[in-house]
Amino acid sequence: MADGLNKSAARNIFYGGSLFFFLLFAALTAHSHWYMVNTSTDSEGLTDSVKHGKEVWEKNMCINCHTILGEGAYFAPELGNVWERYGGHANPEAARAGLEAWIRAQPLGSEGRRQMPAYDLSDADMQALIDFLEWTDGIDAQDWPPHPSG
Amino acid sequence: MKYETQKVALPFFMVAMALFTLQVVFGLLAATVYVWPNFMAEIMPFHIMRVSHTNLLIVWLLIGFMGSTYYLMPEEAERETHSPTIAYIQLAIFAFAGAAALVGYQFGIHEGREFLEQPFWVKVLITISFLMFLFNTSMTLLKGRRTAINLVLMLGLWLAAVFWLFAFYNPSNLAVDKLYWWWVVHLWVEGVWELIMASLLAYLLIKMTGVDREVIEKWLYVIVGLALFSGLLGTGHHYYWIGAPSYWQPIGSIFSTLEVIPFFAMVVFAFTMFWKGSRNHPNKAAMLWSLGCPTVAFFGAGVWGFMHTLHWVNYYSHGTQVTAAHGHLAFYGAYVMLLLGIITFAMPALRRVQPYNQILNMWGFWIMTSAMCFMTFTLTFAGVVQTHLQRVLGMNFMEVQSQLGLFYAMRLGAGIAVAIGAAMLLYAFFGPARQQVPAGGTQLTAGPGHA
């Protein structure tokens, strides 16, 4: 420890520096918020159904098995790009039907395979959830993930 | 124990250790599912085990921080705690809220954002309890002596409460949701909790090494300064792939690399003070934890964090078992070991005996710490294989997972060893106090209050 630095100088550097970096961080966060709303996400497309889909996602706590944009439990596949994986860019109707059929088919009950529980979603909840996954796929996430495999 | 009200720490430590035990149990269950996927699939699906495991950790760490604060504040402020009654009431509220959340999870009652799954009313109770705690300890501080240790500690706790408020903000836009979710999650564990960690560590070192307070407190300010200068903008490493602007890639990479420095400084700090120390403190086990905590935190949080923090690495490793490996060792080193060290240090005084069961405690230290390291290595190997197969070659997630069975089996084995070490440690804390260090000798100059 430099002899030139005494305790009160160290304290002042701590308080002053922390405040500086906090203000910088807060400003960049504010800009990022603005950027997300205006550039990287589809604010127009954030319909009531997409919003409800996020609620369905949360109500069933999907995050504690799956990941979404890489955050979650790593136990089950990434769903941030599941819309792409199901071919939603080329054929949205088929992707929608495929996702619904997959969720409705749970639990698969195949021995030795991780098992997704059955979720008894209403038709409206199901469509909203898929709308939410479709909307999430549209987030400009700097080309992440590297492959459609998620 | 120099101040009578320090004893309010004891029930906090007991509740914390009970929840720690449950955390280990849920961790074992979840690790078992990784090996035998159909294990308990109908009674308790994986997501319930996982939410219980993570939430118990958070709750017991917070209760441990509160207990530690109640223990050290009278000594640092040189006066009794403002109100022991408030302390007991807020503990009861917090423990009730935590237990209610845990029971609720088993019945599917929860919200749905990772780590913030507590139902709204539980979040409110947690807030009320924490504010009562802050009031109680701040009153003690205001009326007493202010030291760098108790000021930095209280600053960390207050800021933790402030950032917690973002848990109540859940925007419908998923990207914006994630932007502010990290204001709780990152600014806690890689920000203000480091203030709590560094100040508690400084307290232990003052008490046990006898090094001059001026020296220790200067180090403390330097370390917490480094922690916040790097850690605030270091949040950027979570903003790479969530729809935030690309400038977070250089900012996050640079500043989160710098996050290693405060952890390294804590290692140097602890060992330098240990070697400079003139005092031969009889609580060898507490000294071991005080040196082990910054060391494992440096590897778990620092080295394992750096390993996947650069954005061109993280592009491939993000959200794989590499993250899980880092998360386990970082939490264990920085916060679990810290609190186990504080409890090891405080228990003899709280039980009004000389340091006791030291050998058993140290066995617990070595078994648990080695097992956590082993678990981290296995998850790291799993993560590297997963990253290559899934992110470089583009293989399907479930196919990749079926290649990782060996690592998950070894992780379960490591988990069992952690449980054994934890059981030994708990018995050392709360079991009969055999093998006390004889009173007298170095002990005469070493108890609390002699710093």
Side-chain angles (χ1 to χ4, degrees), chain B residues 147-395:
Chain B
T147 67
I149 288 177
N150 60 19
L151 283 172
V152 170
L153 176 63
M154 288 312 296
L155 180 67
L157 292 162
W158 271 102
L159 290 174
V162 169
F163 290 122
W164 161 251
L165 296 178
F166 285 92
F168 291 95
Y169 176 53
N170 182 8
S172 316
N173 184 317
L174 182 71
V176 179
D177 170 1
K178 284 173 177 287
L179 185 70
Y180 293 102
W181 180 79
W182 284 113
W183 275 58
V184 188
V185 177
H186 175 95
L187 292 185
W188 269 22
V189 300
E190 294 175 65
V192 298
W193 280 24
E194 285 185 46
L195 272 54
I196 299 169
M197 176 191 173
S199 54
L200 292 178
L201 200 57
Y203 167 78
L204 287 173
L205 292 171
I206 281 192
K207 291 294 159 181
M208 286 192 288
T209 66
V211 172
D212 183 48
R213 179 179 284 273
E214 278 297 302
V215 177
I216 291 204
E217 295 195 330
K218 184 170 77 178
W219 271 88
L220 174 60
Y221 278 123
V222 170
I223 288 168
V224 293
L226 290 169
L228 289 191
F229 300 170
S230 61
L232 287 165
L233 289 176
T235 315
H237 66 181
H238 302 295
Y239 290 169
Y240 298 159
W241 327 116
I242 63 166
S246 58
Y247 55 66
W248 287 113
Q249 296 185 6
I251 293 174
S253 297
I254 293 166
F255 282 90
S256 65
T257 299
L258 299 177
E259 283 184 46
V260 182
I261 298 175
F263 284 106
F264 186 67
M266 277 192 260
V267 178
V268 178
F269 172 50
F271 280 86
T272 309
M273 296 307 116
F274 177 67
W275 291 114
K276 279 177 84 159
S278 52
R279 184 179 290 168
N280 185 13
H281 196 275
N283 197 332
K284 305 291 181 217
M287 196 69 236
L288 179 63
W289 286 104
S290 308
L291 295 173
C293 160
T295 307
V296 179
F298 167 67
F299 282 101
V303 177
W304 254 255
F306 173 70
M307 196 159 69
H308 59 141
T309 202
L310 299 171
H311 67 84
W312 61 91
V313 175
N314 193 261
Y315 182 66
Y316 294 100
S317 66
H318 178 52
T320 63
Q321 295 298 322
V322 172
T323 318
H326 160 61
H328 279 85
L329 200 63
F331 266 100
Y332 177 73
Y335 301 120
V336 174
M337 291 183 79
L338 174 73
L339 287 173
L340 296 177
I342 293 268
I343 295 173
T344 299
F345 175 76
M347 281 304 281
L350 291 170
R351 289 180 64 172
R352 299 178 197 284
V353 294
Q354 295 300 312
Y356 59 96
N357 300 351
Q358 297 261 291
I359 305 290
L360 187 62
N361 182 307
M362 289 192 267
W363 271 102
F365 171 97
W366 285 111
I367 292 175
M368 241 196 305
T369 304
S370 325
M372 285 306 299
C373 290
F374 191 85
M375 181 187 299
T376 302
F377 301 150
T378 61
L379 290 177
T380 306
F381 292 133
V384 171
V385 173
Q386 181 188 5
T387 299
H388 188 74
L389 296 181
Q390 189 181 321
R391 296 288 170 66
V392 180
L393 301 183
M395 267 171 71

Side-chain angles (χ1 to χ4, degrees), chain A residues 1-43 46-47 50-52 54-55 57-78 80 85 102 107 109-115 117 119 132 135-136 139-150, chain B residues 30 33-34 37-38 41-42 45-48 50-51 54 105 108 110-115 117 147-148 151-152 155 163 169-183 187 195 213-214 217-219 221-222 224-226 228-230 232-233 235-236 238-249 251 255 314-321 323-324 386 389-398 401 408:
Chain A
M1 193 74 33
D3 288 332
L5 183 72
N6 62 30
K7 188 170 96 180
S8 67
R11 185 190 60 215
N12 294 340
I13 292 170
F14 162 64
Y15 282 116
S18 299
L19 187 65
F20 169 77
F21 280 107
F22 176 76
L23 292 175
L24 190 56
F25 175 60
L28 289 173
T29 303
H31 174 263
S32 298
H33 186 148
W34 177 86
Y35 177 87
M36 285 168 165
V37 172
N38 292 292
T39 306
S40 65
T41 70
D42 178 13
S43 288
L46 188 57
T47 60
V50 173
K51 290 177 185 171
H52 180 60
K54 184 166 181 280
E55 290 165 11
W57 165 268
E58 289 171 4
K59 183 169 183 299
N60 293 289
M61 211 159 63
C62 312
I63 196 81
N64 270 304
C65 287
H66 292 278
T67 52
I68 193 160
L69 301 183
E71 289 154 13
Y74 329 121
F75 181 73
E78 163 68 28
R85 204 154 59 237
W102 178 258
S110 40
E111 194 58 33
R113 188 187 191 281
R114 292 180 195 172
Q115 184 155 305
Y119 289 101
F132 167 68
W135 183 88
T136 300
I139 296 176
D140 173 10
Q142 309 286 340
D143 289 328
W144 192 91
H147 283 276
S149 56
Chain B
V33 177
Y34 266 95
N38 302 97
E42 306 297 327
F46 179 84
H47 64 291
I48 302 297
R50 206 257 183 182
V51 67
T54 55
Y105 294 158
H110 47 67
E111 292 186 0
R113 295 193 298 161
E114 195 184 7
F115 310 132
E117 296 92 344
T147 67
L151 283 172
V152 170
L155 180 67
F163 290 122
Y169 176 53
N170 182 8
S172 316
N173 184 317
L174 182 71
V176 179
D177 170 1
K178 284 173 177 287
L179 185 70
Y180 293 102
W181 180 79
W182 284 113
W183 275 58
L187 292 185
L195 272 54
R213 179 179 284 273
E214 278 297 302
E217 295 195 330
K218 184 170 77 178
W219 271 88
Y221 278 123
V222 170
V224 293
L226 290 169
L228 289 191
F229 300 170
S230 61
L232 287 165
L233 289 176
T235 315
H238 302 295
Y239 290 169
Y240 298 159
W241 327 116
I242 63 166
S246 58
Y247 55 66
W248 287 113
Q249 296 185 6
I251 293 174
F255 282 90
N314 193 261
Y315 182 66
Y316 294 100
S317 66
H318 178 52
T320 63
Q321 295 298 322
T323 318
Q386 181 188 5
L389 296 181
Q390 189 181 321
R391 296 288 170 66
V392 180
L393 301 183
M395 267 171 71
N396 166 286
F397 178 90
M398 290 305 284
Q401 290 297 313
Y408 292 139

